[in-house]
């Protein structure tokens, strides 16, 4: 990587803040657990808001709990960056947090270096990006851009039976700014890749071209609870068997389709979940994704047909709840070009690629020119305490973010 006299951030402060935020909800193994709208999420939010106030930013909180720190300089609508600080239950240190803290670092460094942009700069902390507690994922940014009605979002019930609006009020982040919110001039999100591509192909940066389509379903399979020892196999109507066959079938779909097709059964709940009882009920989540919408639909149709057939064969009933459904998103090529150029100026090992993971940027892309910057994930690991990115790559990624944001303030679309 080439050193430059171009605007740069304070790398040590960024790395220290990543550690400080990771300590909140620490799982003791290098990871964090800050499920959306829990006390740990609140504590993380409070810390980030305190850093916003240290920078004299205008801090606003909207009705779905999205937090924005805006440096109100210049004219017009802001260039926005940001991400999320909620995590999955076995979260790492960087997913989401990196994009939020790098955004604050960009503003802090501009202030310290006497750089005054011609537009405001804003950093967004979007509510419930993970969707792990309250589905769908990217919920806060989806409401922000008008893709989900506020009232519908506030009534979402979590996997632990809480109403989103009640949890938001309980942690003190039911804000007054209206949703949908104002469209930024442009949006750029810095994020770890969370996959193996950049590292495997020896790239340092990703100029992200878009996000693949996502389909989340929850199946409730109802059979006949019975005694594990006395019930002949031919008389069983076993939801656990169906759940297992579903996981196998999803793997078959992914292998048959190949390419970008991914399928995951991440959560299976059995009732009564006891060793000697054939379950009465199984609840199974299906996470199915592809960069191509038609292929994603084909996968969904195959799943529907499989459900219909196994209902007949096993004598169970299957009901389906769609938890999330987002088509693939293409980012604005003008912003992708700017990302690619600034990344290449640091190191020419830059690759264009779509994102396998969902991100808030895929929602902001509905309302303004948007793109993302990736840095590599070691061993492609994420949603795992082992999540890791080389500190120098983290710092250089934030430098690229700074330069992209400053150019976006001067770019008319
Ligand atoms: O599910 C996702 O891709 C993201 O981590 N919310
Ligand atoms: Mn993320
Ligand atoms: Mn994530």
């Amino acid at each position: 990587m080439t050193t430059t006299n171009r605007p740069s951030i304070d790398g040590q402060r960024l790395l220290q803040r990543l550690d400080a935020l990771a300590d909140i909800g620490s799982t003791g193994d290098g990871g964090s657990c800050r499920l959306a709208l829990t006390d740990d999420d609140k504590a993380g939010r409070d810390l980030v808001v305190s850093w916003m106030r240290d920078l004299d930013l205008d801090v606003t909180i909207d009705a779905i709990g999205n937090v924005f720190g805006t440096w109100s300089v210049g004219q017009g609508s802001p260039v926005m960056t940001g991400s999320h600080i909620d995590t999955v239950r076995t979260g790492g240190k960087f997913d989401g947090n990196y994009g939020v803290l790098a955004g604050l670092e960009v503003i802090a460094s501009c202030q310290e270096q006497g750089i005054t942009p011609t537009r405001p700069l804003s950093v967004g902390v979007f509510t419930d990006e993970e969707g792990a507690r309250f589905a769908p994922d990217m919920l806060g940014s989806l409401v922000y851009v008008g893709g989900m009605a506020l009232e519908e979002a506030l009534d979402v019930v979590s996997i632990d039976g809480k109403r989103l609006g009640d949890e938001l009020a309980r942690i003190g982040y039911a804000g007054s700014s209206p949703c949908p919110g104002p469209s930024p001039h442009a949006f750029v999100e810095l994020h770890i890749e969370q996959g193996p591509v950049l590292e495997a192909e020896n790239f340092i940066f990703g100029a992200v071209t878009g996000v693949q389509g996502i389909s989340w379903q929850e199946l409730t399979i109802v059979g006949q609870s019975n005694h594990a020892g006395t019930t002949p196999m031919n008389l069983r109507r076993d939801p656990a068997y169906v759940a297992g066959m579903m996981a196998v079938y999803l793997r078959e779909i992914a292998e048959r389709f190949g390419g970008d097709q991914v399928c995951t059964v991440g959560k299976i709940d059995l009732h009564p979940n006891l060793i000697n009882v054939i379950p009465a009920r199984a609840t199974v989540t299906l996470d199915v994704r592809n960069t191509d919408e038609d292929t994603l639909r084909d996968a969904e149709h195959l799943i529907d047909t499989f459900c219909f057939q196994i209902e007949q064969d096993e004598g169970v009933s299957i009901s389906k709840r769609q938890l999330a459904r987002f088509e693939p998103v293409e980012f604005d090529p003008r912003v992708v070009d700017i990302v690619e150029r600034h990344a290449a100026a640091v190191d020419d090992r830059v690759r264009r690629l779509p994102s396998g993971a969902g991100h808030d940027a895929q929602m902001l892309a509905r309302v303004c020119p948007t793109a993302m910057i990736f840095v590599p994930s070691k061993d492609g690991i994420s949603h795992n305490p082992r999540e890791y990115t080389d500190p120098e790559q983290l710092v250089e990624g934030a430098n690229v973010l700074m330069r992209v944001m400053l150019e976006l303030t001067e770019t008319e679309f």
Side-chain angles (χ1 to χ4, degrees):
M1 291 185 183
T2 52
T3 53
T4 74
N5 57 6
R6 281 185 289 267
S8 298
I9 58 116
D10 175 339
Q12 281 317 305
R13 179 170 52 201
L14 172 62
L15 298 174
Q16 283 160 5
R17 286 186 168 175
L18 280 165
D19 288 339
L21 182 53
D23 286 344
I24 296 179
S26 168
T27 44
D29 52 2
S32 308
C33 175
R34 293 194 302 275
L35 289 169
L37 308 186
T38 57
D39 291 342
D40 285 319
D41 184 24
K42 170 184 172 44
R45 286 162 168 262
D46 291 349
L47 178 61
V48 171
V49 167
S50 74
W51 287 332
M52 288 179 171
R53 297 206 191 285
D54 291 345
L55 294 171
D56 288 330
L57 303 188
D58 295 331
V59 177
T60 53
I61 302 170
D62 72 13
I64 200 66
N66 296 318
V67 180
F68 299 95
T70 302
W71 185 25
S72 300
V73 292
Q75 302 288 326
S77 51
V79 168
M80 186 182 287
T81 187
S83 194
H84 61 97
I85 64 166
D86 67 299
T87 73
V88 294
R89 192 170 283 135
T90 51
K93 189 185 285 189
F94 305 108
D95 177 3
N97 308 320
Y98 174 47
V100 169
L101 299 184
L104 290 183
E105 184 51 46
V106 166
I107 293 176
S109 297
C110 282
Q111 290 180 352
E112 287 165 354
Q113 296 166 31
I115 299 170
T116 306
T118 55
R119 282 183 175 274
L121 298 184
S122 190
V123 180
V125 183
F126 292 100
T127 294
D128 187 37
E129 187 278 346
E130 292 295 358
R133 187 181 181 213
F134 298 94
D137 52 351
M138 288 74 71
L139 181 143
S141 48
L142 180 65
V143 172
Y144 183 79
V145 301
M148 183 179 192
L150 173 65
E151 289 315 317
E152 179 190 356
L154 293 173
D155 282 339
V156 168
V157 176
S158 64
I159 57 174
D160 51 317
K162 304 285 190 200
R163 179 179 169 273
L164 189 148
D166 298 343
E167 286 292 274
L168 198 58
R170 185 183 67 80
I171 67 168
Y173 276 89
S176 54
S177 301
C179 289
S183 298
H185 174 64
F187 183 85
V188 56
E189 181 174 359
L190 173 64
H191 207 287
I192 54 172
E193 178 203 339
Q194 301 183 283
V197 173
L198 294 179
E199 183 186 58
E201 299 179 10
N202 191 30
F203 287 98
I204 297 294
F205 296 113
V208 187
T209 53
V211 179
Q212 69 178 340
I214 300 178
S215 169
W216 280 5
Q217 297 180 61
E218 178 190 74
L219 304 184
T220 301
I221 307 158
V222 176
Q224 170 73 54
S225 187
N226 213 326
H227 194 295
T230 60
T231 310
M233 296 310 291
N234 67 326
L235 297 183
R236 295 185 179 213
R237 296 193 286 125
D238 184 351
Y241 163 74
V242 172
M245 292 302 286
M246 178 56 73
V248 170
Y249 187 63
L250 255 59
R251 175 62 65 88
E252 286 173 8
I253 290 175
E255 286 172 351
R256 189 188 322 169
F257 283 20
D260 293 328
Q261 186 64 51
V262 287
C263 300
T264 310
V265 169
K267 187 167 182 287
I268 298 180
D269 295 302
L270 299 177
H271 175 76
N273 204 29
L274 298 170
I275 186 167
N276 57 354
V277 181
I278 302 167
R281 185 180 65 248
T283 307
V284 185
T285 62
L286 313 183
D287 178 321
V288 179
R289 309 192 196 198
N290 199 301
T291 50
D292 177 75
E293 175 62 15
D294 291 342
T295 311
L296 184 54
R297 282 199 195 138
D298 290 347
E300 290 174 317
H301 292 151
L302 286 174
I303 290 166
D304 287 347
T305 307
F306 180 85
C307 286
F308 178 77
Q309 187 56 52
I310 203 163
E311 274 187 309
Q312 318 306 317
D313 298 347
E314 185 67 14
V316 297
S317 70
I318 301 177
S319 58
K320 182 175 90 172
R321 202 155 66 95
Q322 190 81 39
L323 298 180
R325 185 60 170 90
F326 302 125
E327 296 194 2
V329 167
E330 292 294 319
F331 288 143
D332 188 311
R334 298 167 296 180
V335 186
V336 179
D337 288 348
I338 292 170
V339 166
E340 187 175 54
R341 180 160 31 84
H342 283 287
V346 174
D347 189 305
D348 60 6
R349 291 173 289 172
V350 190
R351 185 199 199 279
R352 288 180 176 233
L353 75 168
S355 174
H359 297 288
D360 294 308
Q362 75 188 85
M363 302 307 172
L364 273 292
R366 297 186 186 192
V367 297
C368 70
T370 295
M372 291 184 75
I373 309 162
F374 274 173
V375 293
S377 289
K378 183 160 172 27
D379 302 330
I381 295 286
S382 184
H383 282 188
N384 180 317
R386 283 183 47 220
E387 195 174 64
Y388 181 81
T389 297
D390 178 278
E392 186 188 353
Q393 292 173 350
L394 291 170
V395 172
E396 288 302 343
N399 285 332
V400 171
L401 176 69
M402 182 174 191
R403 296 159 196 165
V404 168
M405 289 181 74
L406 290 173
E407 178 163 342
L408 289 172
T409 62
E410 303 294 336
T411 306
E412 290 312 313
F413 292 102

